[in-house]
Amino acid sequence: MSAEQVSSLCEQLVKAVTVIMDPASTQRYRLEALKFCEEFKEKCPICVPCGLKLAEKTQTAIVRHFGLQILEHVVKFRWNSMPRLEKVYLKNNVMGLISNGTQNILEEESHIKDVLSRIVVEMIKREWPQHWPDMLKELDTLSKQGETQTELVMFILLRLAEDVVTFQTLPTQRRRDIQQTLTQNMEKIFSFLLTTLQQNVNKYRRMVGAPQERDALTTPQKTDLAQEPKAQANCRVGIAALNTLAGYIDWVAMSHITADNCKLLEMLCLLLNEPELQVGAAECLLIAVSRKGKLEDRKPLMVLFGDVAMHYILSAAQTADGEGLVEKHYVFLKRLCQVLCALGSQLCALVGSDSDVDTPANLGKYLDSFLAFTTHPSQFLRSSTQITWGALFRHEILSRDPLLLAMIPKYLRASMTNLVKVGFPSKTDSPSCEYSRFDFDSDEDFNAFFNSFRAQQGEVMRMACRLDPRTGFQMAGEWLKYQLAAPVDIGPMNSKTGEGLCSIFSPSFVQWDAMTFFSESVISQMFRTLDKEEIPVNDGIELLQLVLNFETKDPLILSCVLTNVSALFPFVTYRPEYLPQVLSKLFTAVTFEVIEESKAPRTRAVKNVRRHACSSIIKMCRDYPQLVLPNFEMLYNHVKQLLSNELLLTQMEKCALMEALVLISNQFKDYQRQKVFLEELMSPVANLWLSEEMQRILSDPEAFISYVGADNKIADPVMEDPSGLNRSRISFCVYTILGVVKRARWPTTLEEAKAGGFVIGCMPSGNPIYRNPCTEQVLKLLDNLLALISSRYNGIAVLEEAVGPFGCRIYAVCSCRRPEWRSEVSKERGRTHNNLYMPEMVAKLGETFAKALDMLEVEKNAILGLPQPLLELYDSPVYKTILERMQGFFCTLYDNCFHILGNAGPSMQQDFYTVDGLASQFLNSAFVNLNNIPDYRLRPMLRVFVKPLVLSCPSEHYETLLCPMLGPLFTYLHVRLSQKWQVISQRSILCEEDTADDNPESQEMLEEQLVRLLTREVMDLITVCCVSKKGAAEHNSSAAADGDDDEMMSTDVTPPSSAELTELGKCLMKQEDVCTALLITAYRSLSWKDTLSCQRTTTQLCWPLLKQVLTGNLLPDAVTWFFTGVLKGLQTHGQHDGCMAALVHLAFQIYEALRPRYAELKAVMEQIPEIQKESLEQFDSKLLNPTLLKVADKRRKDNFKRLIAGCIGKPLGEQFRKEVHIRNLPSLFKKAKPSLETDVLENNEDGEGLTALFEP
């Protein structure tokens, strides 16, 4: 094409680019211009001359950038089809642009430099070293032309390292070729980088006239202002050289970093004092000292503990800190702090190892500088040092060094300051606040960070006190005495709890809070470290007396006082005569009120004090029961006195005190005596719970609503609560039953249990059968508890039969396999028909309580991950309105009922599991008609009732209890989850058509997240029931049901070979409908949009379940459905490496195990997009011919993964990206000799290749 045509086309492109970038352009014109430009890049045969013309210096920066983008597009997408001469022409012109086609280094736009370096790197990735052997020489030549070219060369070398080593964005063979060649030339590259850095820094320092004391690379001269641009150019190159070094230091051989007596490290230390270069130098130094690898290779890094290096590091830190809070200096300080932390890690790794490294002479100077960062106003810098302090205090040799031991008091003194929670970004009451505004977006962010920091600090303090426990205890005592004597300073912000009381931001409270944490940490460690005779008992008792004599009406401070009482309580074991004083202090706090007989709702701070006191009593009785036992009668009488006043304590507080009594009664070690005591303790509960009125209320939902006051209309929703006493009576009964079931136990030793009458026989296995003294009392209360559950929470809607995906009929809760159960349900309908979650019953709720069955706001916030405002945590009433109190009542009552059932098995064992018709009773109460229970109520039922019941149930009761109960439950859960996920998958389609805002986005998010959490709970329950602990399920604790989504990134997902079905799992899989439900739930869940659930199910559940039925006569449709389910999972979750690896492994297992019996699987494979039919035939023939199946398992799996690549989902950002193809060049390396027994046979299936074995 002629030059005129090129010019004409370029003019059109310039106009198009101008329209695209002009903010005044209409959307239509912008789209047309964009379409024109894209079509030009894709189709025009003269892209190269047009791109070069547009990239000329005479054009505007925007046009030049577009021209260079055209050239980059050509290299990325047309290179393979370009003639060789055109490639050379393009390469020469691009190198020419670097040579003389760019503006001065200070004038050129950074995006121009970036795209120019990208073009060169794209060519290098396709041609170097095989077809472009002189590339490094050309770059070296370019760099000699001036600073502009040198900077671009630095950009090219950096981007090359990033693409090849860091991000690995090219095929394996090309990456290996380039990385190997880089490694071979690394000595030259490093020498070039260091020389460039040194020369440009020298020139820069000469021109700016660096002070003599900071000079290290050359002698400074007087500044010439006319040369300022030249100096800035040299500085730019220096920064670029440091950035490029940072891209290489992480992976090159350590010998390059430590060459010439660690010349690189020395230069970097010197540059720490150069303001313009110090951040880049610190980054490089940090990467260097963070290197892992052989200890012998890391030994030279100890040079940084030398006098010179340490001097420059410390002086740089002092200078940066002395210039006030400037963001650039603060960033530098963070890097320098990280360097010192990494140095500490290297020190801990090298000292005492086989590498024969001694403790450095400058350890004291290092520790002093490190302590300076620990005492810096920035909370972030303080926290950054904690891990290294912990490593030093833990180190076998360094922890005995006198210098480190002398640092412990200083560290503890610093910790006393650091534990004080100040530095909120919104405040100005501390120097830390200004730094926090750089580091945190909000007070909530800072609060979360500080809580984590404080916990970490507590761990390190305990390590320090393990080395010097007396010093820590002495400092804690001094601080405690100071706080007890100090006047209360509430600060400018009053608490809403009352006038003159502290808020969580008050100066006095933050000091009390910090002191309490400090004393708790160091005192507990002292008791673990010192021998009994070395404990300073007199000092401890003196402190305890001071605390017991201290009086305050401030709830926040009183809570701290109670913590100190608990921390000092171990001293009472040496002086038991102080126990009554401690109990008196705690019992006084149990009834704490700011204003006596106030009608106002208690604030959370007051409630926390009372709950704290109850917890302290329980903890004392749990940990020191023998100490408290002699005072049992006094304790019992005191509790009875408190319980006699119905309004004095909340129901939870009453039950906490009763729990403490039960814990002490366990020390009777006499079955009959403890049984009599528990009967006496529970008699008020039994009388109330078993009364005719209560039985009527608990079995009739309408009567229940009326009794608790949920049908009232309240005029004053804050103060008025006529039915509060009724609710409290029900709560008291349920709390008490739960407390007794949880705490009543037999003696831990078999001899004591036998002597006390707790053992009544032995199991066939020889294990003793224990009896719990609470059994008789609890079992007689069980019927009404089940009546409460069934009448309160369950609906009437009968689940319809569902048909499985391959023709198996799946029966839900009312399965015809259990006709006797169905008839019993019919009998129960008289009392369960109208329940609270049914529309008829909701309509009976009073206007005030229309939302009484909804979730609490705090529950919603927890599920959505929304933080609670800080002040509200302590200053607001626990429940602001009667509605919130009613919501809290329903929520707590529901959870506690199931906690009782969940604890009953471990507590009462045989006596519980042998209750007549227990399975039937559960089915008629907890599990009947689950449709009406919302997801947020179903989750805790599965977690706190069903799962503990399964885990504690002896195997002899599987057939009579668990299978009749779990079969219908799993069948129902499968149908419920399928329906929920179907709604979610259809929602995206419907939302485009439905514009009404009946279901706002926040509600949809909440519902979807609840479905995800319920799914995880269900899959976790199935795993617990079916997969043995030897398998992958072992690491999946119950708490992980709401687990951290980071787990999806795990790639170590191959299921262990020992993952087998449990006895319960085998028992469940024998029932056809239950087996079908389990398999369908497991395999269908793979395509539900919850990655965490998918990965866990894939690795732990799917294969063990399917393996159990492989020997049976599976329908072909069922087999294809299972396999298709895994492929659908890959389509949905393939973008996550962890999920993808697990699903590929599962698909491979299924195909390899079932393909020989089911040809239908091959038909499924043939439907996969972009599958290579020849490769599939080859893979299939080897699979079906066992004599050819000698390829290693990993290679077979890799081949299989390539076959199914078309159905593996991609991240959204990659789904529409044009594929870049980089061809392999002739290999630089000699090919490995083929394996005679695999490769020859593999490539010559007809056997002709055997002759190759005998060729000369």
Side-chain angles (χ1 to χ4, degrees):
M1 230 179 231
S2 66
E4 290 81 9
Q5 289 172 309
V6 170
S7 297
S8 171
L9 198 49
C10 285
E11 284 179 19
Q12 294 178 53
L13 288 168
V14 169
K15 289 177 182 176
V17 171
T18 305
V19 168
I20 292 170
M21 302 305 293
D22 185 359
S25 300
T26 64
Q27 185 181 17
R28 179 186 164 193
Y29 284 138
R30 184 176 287 113
L31 287 174
E32 286 180 2
L34 188 61
K35 184 180 177 183
F36 173 72
C37 290
E38 291 302 315
E39 286 181 352
F40 168 80
K41 285 196 287 187
E42 294 294 335
K43 300 174 182 176
C44 184
I46 56 166
C47 278
V48 173
C50 288
L52 290 170
K53 184 168 183 62
L54 292 174
E56 290 173 355
K57 275 199 289 190
T58 53
Q59 304 282 6
T60 63
I62 290 174
V63 172
R64 290 172 64 211
H65 185 262
F66 178 70
L68 292 170
Q69 274 189 322
I70 293 172
L71 299 181
E72 183 186 14
H73 187 274
V74 168
V75 175
K76 288 175 78 170
F77 300 108
R78 296 194 191 178
W79 192 261
N80 294 336
S81 60
M82 285 171 65
R84 181 176 173 278
L85 289 177
E86 192 174 353
K87 292 179 184 177
V88 173
Y89 170 76
L90 176 55
K91 189 267 287 185
N92 290 339
N93 277 281
V94 170
M95 301 303 272
L97 284 174
I98 295 176
S99 177
N100 51 33
T102 57
Q103 309 286 357
N104 180 275
I105 185 172
L106 300 178
E107 298 169 10
E108 188 59 274
E109 299 283 352
S110 58
H111 56 277
I112 300 289
K113 299 175 186 177
D114 184 55
V115 71
L116 199 49
S117 64
R118 285 206 309 267
I119 296 170
V120 177
V121 169
E122 290 300 326
M123 291 192 294
I124 291 172
K125 282 155 64 172
R126 286 158 177 78
E127 301 295 333
W128 188 67
Q130 289 93 329
H131 296 163
W132 192 2
D134 295 330
M135 184 271 295
L136 289 175
K137 289 181 183 175
E138 290 185 38
L139 293 183
D140 185 46
T141 305
L142 279 174
S143 69
K144 291 173 181 173
Q145 293 186 15
E147 289 81 9
T148 303
Q149 290 73 24
T150 307
E151 186 189 36
L152 284 168
V153 168
M154 292 295 145
F155 289 163
I156 291 166
L157 290 175
L158 174 58
R159 189 170 191 93
L160 180 61
E162 289 175 341
D163 282 4
V164 173
V165 181
T166 309
F167 304 123
Q168 302 186 355
T169 58
L170 60 172
T172 305
Q173 186 181 320
R174 286 300 302 134
R175 181 169 59 81
R176 195 168 58 235
D177 288 351
I178 295 171
Q179 189 167 348
Q180 182 74 15
T181 312
L182 280 173
T183 303
Q184 289 171 352
N185 291 277
M186 193 52 66
E187 196 171 338
K188 295 177 188 174
I189 294 172
F190 245 69
S191 174
F192 168 69
L193 293 174
L194 285 178
T195 304
T196 302
L197 176 63
Q198 188 165 13
Q199 288 176 351
N200 282 278
V201 170
N202 283 345
K203 292 175 184 175
Y204 171 68
R205 291 169 70 89
R206 274 200 299 270
M207 286 182 226
V208 300
Q212 182 67 39
E213 65 274 10
R214 281 176 15 197
D215 172 44
L217 307 179
T218 188
T219 304
Q221 296 177 3
K222 189 67 180 171
T223 307
D224 183 355
L225 293 176
Q227 289 189 307
E228 181 67 22
K230 182 72 174 169
Q232 286 304 311
N234 291 129
C235 182
R236 282 276 185 90
V237 176
I239 292 170
L242 286 169
N243 290 338
T244 305
L245 275 168
Y248 283 81
I249 290 173
D250 192 32
W251 57 273
V252 300
M254 281 293 290
S255 56
H256 297 298
I257 298 171
T258 57
D260 295 335
N261 292 322
C262 297
K263 180 183 176 184
L264 170 62
L265 299 178
E266 183 185 351
M267 287 177 63
L268 294 174
C269 286
L270 301 173
L271 291 176
L272 293 176
N273 288 280
E274 195 60 63
E276 295 298 322
L277 301 166
Q278 59 184 186
V279 174
E283 291 275 8
C284 288
L285 200 55
L286 173 60
I287 296 168
V289 296
S290 300
R291 284 287 299 265
K292 304 289 186 244
K294 292 181 182 177
L295 293 176
E296 194 62 32
D297 293 341
R298 291 192 265 163
K299 275 173 68 175
L301 293 175
M302 294 297 286
V303 72
L304 293 171
F305 281 97
D307 289 332
V308 176
M310 198 56 69
H311 166 73
Y312 280 107
I313 292 173
L314 299 187
S315 62
Q318 289 164 358
T319 305
D321 193 34
E323 295 179 2
L325 180 53
V326 179
E327 185 171 10
K328 184 180 174 184
H329 295 153
Y330 183 39
V331 169
F332 173 64
L333 272 180
K334 288 181 181 177
R335 295 294 170 272
L336 216 49
C337 181
Q338 290 174 296
V339 168
L340 288 176
C341 291
L343 266 179
S345 298
Q346 294 290 3
L347 181 66
C348 291
L350 291 167
V351 172
S353 64
D354 297 334
S355 52
D356 193 31
V357 173
D358 296 325
T359 304
N362 278 327
L363 178 62
K365 189 182 287 187
Y366 168 79
L367 292 174
D368 285 335
S369 61
F370 204 55
L371 185 68
F373 279 100
T374 309
T375 56
H376 193 274
S378 163
Q379 296 282 14
F380 182 85
L381 286 178
R382 294 174 182 180
S383 72
S384 300
T385 63
Q386 297 303 316
I387 291 175
T388 306
W389 279 120
L392 291 168
F393 292 142
R394 255 195 325 263
H395 196 271
E396 187 179 358
I397 293 173
L398 293 172
S399 62
R400 298 197 295 265
D401 191 285
L403 289 169
L404 186 63
L405 291 173
M407 191 56 64
I408 288 175
K410 298 177 183 177
Y411 171 78
L412 291 175
R413 191 71 61 188
S415 297
M416 291 169 67
T417 304
N418 294 352
L419 288 170
V420 179
K421 190 185 275 192
V422 291
F424 285 93
S426 67
K427 300 197 172 296
T428 55
D429 56 359
S430 164
S432 300
C433 298
E434 202 175 352
Y435 289 92
S436 293
R437 284 190 274 278
F438 279 101
D439 294 320
F440 306 103
D441 293 330
S442 66
D443 284 357
E444 284 73 22
D445 280 352
F446 173 80
N447 192 55
F449 153 81
F450 192 87
N451 290 339
S452 172
F453 168 36
R454 176 179 279 186
Q456 189 180 45
Q457 208 168 341
E459 189 62 36
V460 179
M461 285 192 308
R462 284 188 284 274
M463 290 178 200
C465 289
R466 199 179 58 191
L467 302 174
D468 187 1
R470 293 181 183 279
T471 299
F473 177 67
Q474 184 183 348
M475 294 168 74
E478 290 172 2
W479 197 3
L480 177 55
K481 288 176 183 176
Y482 174 80
Q483 283 302 130
L484 290 169
V488 174
D489 178 7
I490 63 169
M493 187 181 296
N494 250 315
S495 170
K496 294 177 188 173
T497 305
E499 282 297 321
L501 298 179
C502 290
S503 75
I504 57 169
F505 299 118
S506 297
S508 278
F509 171 68
V510 295
Q511 289 291 332
W512 266 98
D513 189 38
M515 178 275 294
T516 300
F517 186 87
F518 182 85
S519 60
E520 198 178 17
S521 299
V522 300
I523 293 173
S524 64
Q525 186 60 51
M526 182 188 70
F527 277 101
R528 283 195 290 267
T529 305
L530 291 180
D531 293 332
K532 196 169 182 179
E533 57 275 9
E534 295 177 324
I535 299 288
V537 176
N538 292 333
D539 295 340
I541 290 294
E542 180 194 348
L543 290 174
L544 180 60
Q545 281 183 301
L546 290 172
V547 174
L548 293 175
N549 293 332
F550 181 77
E551 297 295 337
T552 179
K553 294 298 285 182
D554 192 303
L556 292 177
I557 293 178
L558 181 54
S559 191
C560 294
V561 170
L562 294 178
T563 304
N564 281 286
V565 170
S566 296
L568 294 165
F569 186 77
F571 287 107
V572 179
T573 58
Y574 297 86
R575 302 279 176 82
E577 63 270 22
Y578 286 94
L579 179 60
Q581 292 182 45
V582 173
L583 289 172
S584 174
K585 185 77 175 178
L586 294 176
F587 275 115
T588 303
V590 168
T591 57
F592 173 79
E593 294 282 7
V594 174
I595 304 167
E596 296 297 336
E597 300 183 6
S598 169
K599 297 289 184 185
R602 294 187 185 114
T603 62
R604 197 168 294 276
V606 173
K607 180 184 175 186
N608 283 350
V609 166
R610 297 166 67 109
R611 185 176 290 184
H612 193 155
C614 293
S615 299
S616 298
I617 294 171
I618 289 178
K619 184 181 175 186
M620 190 172 64
C621 295
R622 184 196 67 199
D623 297 342
Y624 304 97
Q626 291 291 354
L627 180 65
V628 184
L629 184 59
N631 294 272
F632 177 75
E633 288 302 326
M634 181 195 79
L635 189 66
Y636 189 18
N637 291 330
H638 204 121
V639 171
K640 281 196 284 190
Q641 186 181 344
L642 290 174
L643 295 180
S644 63
N645 184 340
E646 198 166 12
L647 298 175
L648 191 60
L649 302 175
T650 66
Q651 309 317 311
M652 183 181 286
E653 289 156 7
K654 291 176 185 176
C655 297
L657 296 179
M658 294 170 74
E659 278 188 53
L661 293 173
V662 175
L663 282 167
I664 300 301
S665 75
N666 290 336
Q667 294 304 308
F668 293 169
K669 297 179 181 175
D670 181 334
Y671 175 81
Q672 202 58 39
R673 182 185 171 194
Q674 191 175 2
K675 181 185 171 190
V676 170
F677 163 72
L678 290 175
E679 283 177 5
E680 183 183 341
L681 186 70
M682 295 187 71
S683 61
V685 172
N687 293 336
L688 177 61
W689 193 249
L690 298 175
S691 66
E692 287 187 16
E693 182 194 13
M694 190 62 74
Q695 286 184 342
R696 178 184 62 80
I697 290 161
L698 296 179
S699 57
D700 181 356
E702 193 168 344
F704 181 84
I705 285 180
S706 177
Y707 184 75
V708 300
D711 58 350
N712 296 336
K713 181 177 180 181
I714 306 295
D716 183 352
V718 176
M719 301 300 292
E720 191 180 339
D721 188 4
S723 302
L725 196 57
N726 290 347
R727 292 198 304 275
S728 72
R729 285 172 180 157
I730 292 177
S731 294
F732 174 60
C733 293
V734 174
Y735 271 126
T736 305
I737 299 169
L738 176 58
V740 171
V741 168
K742 274 173 60 180
R743 301 297 186 182
R745 285 293 183 273
W746 48 87
T748 51
T749 62
L750 181 58
E751 292 75 18
E752 289 181 337
K754 282 180 177 176
F758 293 91
V759 179
I760 57 172
C762 287
M763 308 274 283
S765 60
N767 293 329
I769 299 175
Y770 296 99
R771 57 177 178 168
N772 194 315
C774 77
T775 299
E776 191 176 316
Q777 289 297 310
V778 173
L779 288 183
K780 71 180 183 183
L781 306 175
L782 191 62
D783 284 346
N784 273 5
L785 182 80
L786 296 175
L788 169 63
I789 293 171
S790 64
S791 66
R792 211 189 142 283
Y793 299 105
N794 299 307
I796 190 60
V798 177
L799 197 63
E800 299 297 329
E801 294 179 353
V803 178
F806 38 83
C808 298
R809 189 163 287 280
I810 306 164
Y811 293 93
V813 178
C814 45
S815 167
C816 64
R817 292 171 63 93
R818 293 192 53 82
E820 75 283 8
W821 167 30
R822 200 164 185 175
S823 63
E824 288 169 10
V825 173
S826 300
K827 293 174 191 173
E828 292 292 330
R829 285 187 179 173
R831 66 174 188 169
T832 61
H833 185 75
N834 296 316
N835 65 82
L836 297 187
Y837 282 103
M838 290 195 67
E840 305 95 281
M841 294 312 302
V842 172
K844 290 185 180 295
L845 295 175
E847 185 181 325
T848 311
F849 302 109
K851 296 186 176 181
L853 299 173
D854 289 1
M855 292 177 73
L856 285 163
E857 281 303 311
V858 68
E859 290 182 293
K860 292 180 184 177
N861 291 342
I863 288 170
L864 294 173
L866 302 175
Q868 186 85 346
L870 287 176
L871 267 178
E872 284 191 14
L873 288 175
Y874 290 92
D875 267 2
S876 299
V878 180
Y879 299 120
K880 299 183 186 70
T881 64
I882 180 67
L883 172 61
E884 286 187 351
R885 283 203 290 278
M886 189 69 77
Q887 284 180 320
F889 166 74
F890 282 135
C891 173
T892 308
L893 187 62
Y894 182 83
D895 284 355
N896 285 343
C897 286
F898 284 116
H899 270 294
I900 292 169
L901 296 181
N903 280 281
S907 174
M908 296 182 283
Q909 295 195 346
Q910 287 292 118
D911 290 328
F912 179 68
Y913 294 119
T914 53
V915 169
D916 287 342
L918 184 61
S920 180
Q921 288 190 52
F922 282 151
L923 293 169
N924 293 336
S925 56
F927 296 140
V928 70
N929 305 321
L930 293 172
N931 267 358
N932 285 316
I933 295 189
D935 292 342
Y936 55 86
R937 292 288 168 256
L938 185 56
R939 275 183 64 221
M941 186 193 84
L942 299 177
R943 184 171 64 249
V944 304
F945 163 41
V946 183
K947 189 173 177 181
L949 187 73
V950 167
L951 288 172
S952 61
C953 184
S955 56
E956 52 265 31
H957 299 292
Y958 287 170
E959 294 280 358
T960 56
L961 174 61
L962 293 188
C963 287
M965 190 179 77
L966 293 175
L969 177 65
F970 286 146
T971 307
Y972 167 74
L973 290 172
H974 148 250
V975 177
R976 176 168 177 148
L977 286 176
S978 299
Q979 291 170 348
K980 296 272 184 183
W981 282 106
Q982 189 174 3
V983 170
I984 289 174
S985 62
Q986 289 175 349
R987 188 171 278 161
S988 56
I989 303 168
L990 297 174
C991 68
E992 293 175 8
E993 304 164 6
D994 185 14
T995 55
D997 196 24
D998 295 335
N999 197 16
E1001 287 181 11
S1002 60
Q1003 184 63 27
E1004 283 187 9
M1005 285 173 59
L1006 182 66
E1007 288 171 5
E1008 285 193 22
Q1009 188 61 12
L1010 274 169
V1011 173
R1012 286 190 179 87
L1013 295 175
L1014 179 61
T1015 302
R1016 294 175 194 178
E1017 207 72 66
V1018 171
M1019 303 318 296
D1020 183 50
L1021 176 62
I1022 295 175
T1023 304
V1024 164
C1025 291
C1026 297
V1027 181
S1028 69
K1029 289 184 179 178
K1030 294 178 184 174
E1034 190 167 16
H1035 76 280
N1036 185 26
S1037 64
S1038 59
D1042 301 347
D1044 186 349
D1045 289 357
D1046 289 345
E1047 188 176 320
M1048 73 178 71
M1049 304 312 294
S1050 164
T1051 53
D1052 184 17
V1053 291
T1054 304
S1057 57
S1058 57
E1060 299 289 342
L1061 284 192
T1062 58
E1063 287 304 312
L1064 174 59
K1066 292 173 184 175
C1067 190
L1068 290 168
M1069 293 292 281
K1070 287 176 187 172
Q1071 303 179 37
E1072 185 183 343
D1073 53 346
V1074 182
C1075 170
T1076 305
L1078 289 173
L1079 282 165
I1080 295 174
T1081 307
Y1083 281 84
R1084 184 167 279 167
S1085 73
L1086 301 182
S1087 55
W1088 293 339
K1089 291 182 179 178
D1090 182 38
T1091 311
L1092 188 61
S1093 177
C1094 170
Q1095 182 167 340
R1096 287 177 179 169
T1097 307
T1098 308
T1099 54
Q1100 299 169 17
L1101 199 57
C1102 286
W1103 181 244
L1105 288 179
L1106 185 59
K1107 194 165 63 170
Q1108 186 69 15
V1109 298
L1110 285 183
T1111 53
N1113 190 19
L1114 283 173
L1115 294 172
D1117 284 351
V1119 173
T1120 56
W1121 187 86
F1122 289 135
F1123 188 61
T1124 306
V1126 182
L1127 298 182
K1128 284 181 179 177
L1130 274 168
Q1131 198 169 18
T1132 306
H1133 302 289
Q1135 59 182 301
H1136 303 292
D1137 290 343
C1139 264
M1140 187 261 290
L1143 288 163
V1144 168
H1145 179 81
L1146 178 61
F1148 175 70
Q1149 280 182 305
I1150 294 173
Y1151 195 78
E1152 195 170 55
L1154 293 174
R1155 170 65 185 91
R1157 289 165 54 195
Y1158 297 93
E1160 290 84 357
L1161 290 181
K1162 184 182 177 185
V1164 175
M1165 291 284 281
E1166 287 172 343
Q1167 296 172 43
I1168 293 174
E1170 303 170 19
I1171 192 164
Q1172 301 290 326
K1173 295 289 177 67
E1174 299 82 7
S1175 302
L1176 176 61
E1177 290 291 343
Q1178 193 177 11
F1179 185 85
D1180 243 29
S1181 61
K1182 291 176 189 173
L1183 184 63
L1184 298 174
N1185 188 344
T1187 59
L1188 298 178
L1189 201 62
K1190 293 183 180 178
V1191 182
D1193 189 65
K1194 186 177 185 311
R1195 283 188 60 189
R1196 292 207 313 278
K1197 197 192 297 184
D1198 289 343
N1199 291 337
F1200 181 78
K1201 182 179 175 182
R1202 281 192 285 272
L1203 286 175
I1204 62 173
C1207 70
I1208 297 177
K1210 296 178 181 178
L1212 188 62
E1214 292 181 15
Q1215 286 178 13
F1216 308 103
R1217 182 184 292 174
K1218 188 173 180 181
E1219 201 76 31
V1220 176
H1221 298 284
I1222 300 178
R1223 282 184 182 168
N1224 288 325
L1225 301 182
S1227 179
L1228 290 172
F1229 315 105
K1230 185 179 179 183
K1231 283 191 177 180
K1233 190 175 181 182
S1235 169
L1236 297 183
E1237 64 177 358
T1238 57
D1239 287 18
V1240 173
L1241 294 174
E1242 187 176 340
N1243 297 328
N1244 301 275
E1245 292 175 22
D1246 54 5
E1248 292 177 6
L1250 290 170
T1251 56
L1253 299 175
F1254 304 100
E1255 289 181 358

